């Protein structure tokens, strides 16, 4: 307030006014555009990558197609009009029993219906090319087996099955061939003579020694119980004695020479019996106490067509020999059959006892040295295998399922 009583405002003075600038609307400026050359390079790179990928995909598809065709092709090529009947799709190769159903058009080099050779009788091949594949063999047989299988399945369900398949096990010496008197005995005597032993086994004496299974065991018994003076060595005779083993090795070599010379024929009816067994789907094996090489020589020489399919259990493959059942137990295990489904053909009482102890059925075919033996427990006794009917005598021995 001034002195003269007049109030005067003391508020601060306003700042000087600034002239206003008129507002103007401005449009958003666009981003700076890249150079035209950079855009063209990027587009070309993308297109190049796409074309390369497409090319790789096409090459891969062509390669896969070519591999597939090579896998389906055969070394023998069809030509001319013969290609027309084989336009059906290629099926997988099935087992021989189903070959007729799933037959592969390019399957030129494998057997039809499990039979070799694969060619049909009227097949025509010239210069490595199939002009006519021929008619597949075995169609009638295939349908017959197929019908038989249906009947077998039906019989199993109803308990009326007559289709029994087992194993036929044969002894060798005296059963397959009469080797004892004119084979093994002769070889033993030749071995004694060549190695300087003063002894010879007569026909009657060898018959007594046959009650002991195994050649080394037989010689041990002879030099111990029958003729100790003929043993010139200090160490007592035993089956693992080096001198006994030397004798047996030479005897085996001489015996194999006798067998391969053709001097020992098959016993009557043996070949027919084995043929019937294989024809009915049975397994066949040989169980012997003789040396394995000697038994194999007999089978390969006298039964050459069956030799590859017949397993041999012989010699020292077991620790205990007949009449112990170990050899027959081993055969049943290795062949995958139950002892109760095995039928044994034997000629000696020790073999009969071994087979019965293993729980098997036994048919005895008497031989020269075993005519008067006691075959206790044998299921059937005949003079030779020619008297055996496979269906009535062998198959009939197997146990069958009976429905109550």
């Amino acid at each position: 307030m001034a002195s003269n009583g007049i109030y005067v405002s003391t508020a601060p003075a306003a700042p000087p006014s600034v002239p206003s600038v008129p507002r103007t609307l401005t449009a958003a400026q666009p981003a700076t555009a890249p150079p035209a050359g950079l855009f063209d390079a990027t587009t070309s790179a993308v297109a190049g990558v796409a074309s390369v990928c497409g090319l790789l995909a096409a090459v891969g598809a062509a390669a896969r197609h070519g591999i597939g065709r090579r896998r389906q092709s055969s070394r023998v090529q069809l030509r001319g009009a013969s290609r027309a009947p084989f336009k059906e799709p290629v099926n997988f190769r099935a087992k021989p029993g189903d070959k007729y159903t799933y037959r592969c058009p390019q399957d030129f080099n494998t057997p039809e219906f499990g039979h070799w050779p694969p060619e049909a009788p009227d097949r025509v091949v010239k210069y490595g090319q199939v002009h006519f594949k021929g008619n597949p063999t075995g169609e009638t047989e295939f349908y017959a087996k197929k019908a038989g299988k249906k009947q077998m399945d039906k019989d199993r369900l109803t308990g009326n099955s007559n289709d029994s398949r087992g194993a036929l096990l044969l002894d060798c010496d005296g059963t397959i061939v009469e080797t004892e008197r004119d084979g093994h005995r002769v070889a033993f005597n030749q071995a004694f003579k060549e190695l300087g032993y003063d002894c010879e086994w007569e026909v009657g004496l060898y018959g007594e020694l046959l009650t002991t299974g195994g050649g080394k065991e037989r010689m041990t018994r002879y030099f111990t119980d029958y003729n100790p003076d003929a043993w010139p060595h200090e160490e007592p005779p035993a089956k693992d004695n080096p001198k006994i083993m030397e004798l047996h090795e030479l005897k085996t070599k001489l015996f194999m020479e006798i067998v391969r010379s053709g001097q020992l024929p098959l016993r009557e009816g043996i070949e027919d019996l084995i043929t019937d067994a294989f024809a009915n789907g049975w397994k066949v094996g040989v169980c012997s106490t003789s040396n394995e090489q000697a038994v194999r020589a007999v089978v390969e020489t006298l039964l050459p067509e069956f030799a590859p399919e017949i397993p041999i259990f012989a010699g020292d493959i077991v620790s205990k020999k007949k009449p112990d059942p170990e050899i027959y137990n081993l055969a049943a295990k290795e062949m995958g059959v139950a002892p109760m489904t095995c039928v044994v053909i034997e000629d000696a009482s020790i073999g009969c006892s071994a087979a019965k102890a293993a729980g098997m059925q036994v048919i005895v075919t008497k031989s020269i040295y075993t005519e008067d033996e006691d075959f206790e427990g044998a299921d059937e006794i005949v003079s030779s295998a020619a008297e055996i009917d496979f269906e009535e005598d062998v198959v009939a021995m197997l146990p069958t399922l009976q429905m109550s």
Side-chain angles (χ1 to χ4, degrees):
M1 184 177 61
S3 58
N4 56 0
I6 299 173
Y7 287 90
V8 179
S9 174
T10 59
S17 61
V18 178
S20 61
V21 179
R23 285 185 168 184
T24 59
L25 295 177
T26 59
Q29 299 294 330
T32 305
L38 180 60
F39 178 79
D40 294 340
T42 304
T43 304
S44 300
V46 173
V49 171
S51 62
V52 169
C53 291
L55 179 61
L56 292 177
V59 171
R64 288 192 298 271
H65 180 67
I67 292 174
R69 290 185 63 84
R70 284 197 298 274
R71 288 178 178 173
Q72 297 172 7
S73 65
S74 170
R75 293 191 298 271
V76 180
Q77 300 295 327
L78 288 173
R79 63 180 297 179
S82 300
R83 186 180 298 275
F86 303 107
K87 291 185 178 180
E88 69 270 12
V90 177
N91 294 304
F92 63 89
R93 288 193 179 98
K95 58 185 180 180
D98 292 336
K99 198 63 179 294
Y100 184 76
T101 302
Y102 304 103
R103 198 155 154 271
C104 185
Q106 282 80 14
D107 202 4
F108 301 117
N109 301 306
T110 53
E112 296 284 352
F113 308 100
H115 297 293
W116 189 264
E119 298 86 1
D122 52 350
R123 188 175 191 233
V124 179
V125 178
K126 292 183 179 180
Y127 307 107
Q129 294 181 328
V130 175
H131 290 254
F132 177 63
K133 185 174 181 182
N135 298 311
T137 59
E139 178 180 356
T140 304
E141 180 183 355
F142 170 79
Y143 282 119
K145 289 183 177 180
K146 186 175 181 180
K149 183 178 183 300
K150 290 183 178 180
Q151 185 63 38
M152 286 162 47
D153 295 338
K154 180 180 179 181
D155 290 340
R156 290 191 184 100
L157 293 176
T158 59
N160 297 323
S161 176
N162 293 322
D163 182 76
S164 300
R165 298 185 183 183
L168 182 69
L169 305 179
L170 301 98
D171 176 46
C172 180
D173 302 312
T175 301
I176 295 179
V177 60
E178 286 282 10
T179 56
E180 299 295 1
R181 184 186 65 183
D182 302 323
H184 288 292
R185 186 186 67 86
V186 174
F188 273 118
N189 288 334
Q190 289 180 0
F192 292 150
K193 183 177 180 180
E194 290 187 17
L195 295 180
Y197 289 83
D198 186 17
C199 59
E200 183 177 354
W201 288 356
E202 301 293 339
V203 174
L205 173 61
Y206 190 70
E208 296 179 14
L209 294 174
L210 283 177
T211 56
T212 300
K216 295 189 288 291
E217 293 81 356
R218 205 168 293 152
M219 287 189 289
T220 300
R221 178 187 173 190
Y222 171 76
F223 287 119
T224 302
D225 300 336
Y226 286 81
N227 193 0
D229 296 336
W231 182 253
H233 309 290
E234 295 182 359
E235 296 182 1
K239 68 176 185 178
D240 55 352
N241 188 300
K243 298 299 181 180
I244 292 290
M245 297 178 70
E246 180 185 15
L247 270 170
H248 193 262
E249 183 178 356
L250 177 59
K251 173 260 170 185
T252 300
K253 177 182 177 182
L254 296 170
F255 173 76
M256 291 172 64
E257 292 177 358
I258 294 174
V259 171
R260 288 177 175 146
S261 68
Q263 300 179 30
L264 305 174
L266 277 174
R267 287 196 64 185
E268 185 182 8
I270 287 295
E271 185 173 4
D272 293 337
L273 185 62
I274 295 176
T275 301
D276 290 340
F278 278 118
N280 285 271
W282 280 47
K283 298 180 179 179
V284 179
V286 175
C287 301
S288 174
T289 58
S290 297
N291 179 271
E292 181 180 357
Q293 294 181 353
V295 176
R296 193 172 298 279
V298 170
V299 175
E300 292 178 351
T301 303
L302 302 178
L303 297 166
E305 64 274 23
F306 301 118
E309 303 179 38
I310 298 180
I312 295 174
F313 307 92
D316 296 327
I317 194 173
V318 293
S319 59
K320 299 178 181 179
K321 296 186 177 181
K322 301 174 185 179
D324 192 275
E326 186 175 0
I327 188 72
Y328 284 115
N329 289 331
L330 176 64
K333 179 180 179 181
E334 293 294 328
M335 296 174 69
V337 294
M340 65 188 302
T341 63
C342 296
V343 177
V344 178
I345 311 298
E346 273 281 0
D347 75 302
S349 60
I350 60 173
C352 176
S353 300
K356 294 305 293 185
M360 301 178 180
Q361 320 300 320
V362 181
I363 300 177
V364 172
T365 58
K366 292 182 178 181
S367 63
I368 296 174
Y369 280 112
T370 64
E371 289 181 348
D372 300 326
E373 290 186 3
D374 181 17
F375 301 103
E376 183 180 359
D379 297 280
E380 186 175 346
I381 302 175
V382 295
S383 298
S384 70
E387 302 177 21
I388 302 175
D389 183 273
F390 187 79
E391 291 291 339
E392 296 181 2
D393 298 323
V394 179
V395 177
M397 286 188 177
L398 299 189
T400 56
L401 176 65
Q402 298 293 336
M403 302 294 289
S404 57

